[in-house]
Amino acid sequence: MNNRKHILLLLAVLVTGLMAMGYDAVDKTMAKNILLKTNRAIGVAHIVTKKTKNYTGKLAKAVSHERLAKKLYNNGNYLRAIHHSRRARLYAADIMNTNKAKPTSDMSFSPQEEQAFGALPSDKELDDELAKEDSSVLVSKDEDLMNGNLGIDVQ
């Protein structure tokens, strides 16, 4: 019984150490699937925005957060990437609601995604982090996105 306590204690120390070092509990495949689902949601929101010409700035915010998610993903920061991707998807869903368009299944979050998100940072924290990025990530107006590639594809 004493050995069992030592093993549990060692395991607890190991897990705590990995968390303190920034170990990312989200693997690359899970992160990629979340970003791809958000990309599809943004694609639909893009079409709706283009069709309705209802420029609220939400598409620009969705694309900016997803571009940052892509950058973080490419740098191996999968947890932070999915947090920004989640924020982007919420903007895409809001676009659908604002324009009274039927949201697609890609707008919602699966139980696996909800679990992967874990403890969520505040919207302000994510927005502040986004604001520090350069023009390769940031988009200022929806109108700037009406022609061409959104720059959110994930490989």
Side-chain angles (χ1 to χ4, degrees):
M1 190 66 118
N2 202 12
N3 284 340
R4 183 179 239 173
K5 285 182 182 179
H6 285 124
I7 291 171
L8 288 175
L9 180 62
L10 182 61
L11 184 60
V13 169
L14 179 63
V15 168
T16 303
L18 289 173
M19 289 171 61
M21 290 180 350
Y23 173 75
D24 210 339
V26 178
D27 70 5
K28 184 176 183 175
T29 301
M30 170 65 93
K32 183 175 183 177
N33 289 334
I34 290 172
L35 269 67
L36 290 172
K37 188 173 172 186
T38 300
N39 285 354
R40 291 190 303 268
I42 291 173
V44 172
H46 180 244
I47 291 167
V48 168
T49 301
K50 198 170 189 174
K51 182 178 177 185
T52 63
K53 295 181 179 19
N54 186 8
Y55 305 122
T56 62
K58 292 175 186 172
L59 182 63
K61 289 177 183 176
V63 169
S64 294
H65 276 285
E66 190 66 0
R67 285 181 181 177
L68 180 52
K70 175 184 173 182
K71 179 179 175 181
L72 291 165
Y73 171 84
N74 287 336
N75 290 335
N77 191 344
Y78 305 127
L79 182 59
R80 200 54 161 192
I82 68 170
H83 286 156
H84 279 281
S85 190
R86 178 185 173 276
R87 183 100 169 104
R89 198 182 311 172
L90 290 171
Y91 275 120
D94 196 30
I95 291 166
M96 302 301 283
N97 290 333
T98 299
N99 289 291
K100 297 179 180 25
K102 184 179 179 187
T104 66
S105 61
D106 285 330
M107 305 281 175
S108 63
F109 301 101
S110 71
Q112 293 82 9
E113 288 175 319
E114 291 287 1
Q115 184 178 1
F117 294 137
L120 294 169
S122 70
D123 292 344
K124 181 181 180 339
E125 185 179 338
L126 294 172
D127 293 345
D128 288 349
E129 188 175 342
L130 177 65
K132 295 174 187 171
E133 291 297 318
D134 61 32
S135 61
S136 68
V137 172
L138 294 174
V139 181
S140 58
K141 301 184 309 188
D142 291 351
E143 294 90 327
D144 295 340
L145 297 166
M146 292 303 105
N147 299 314
N149 187 323
L150 297 179
I152 58 176
D153 296 336
V154 178
Q155 271 43 4

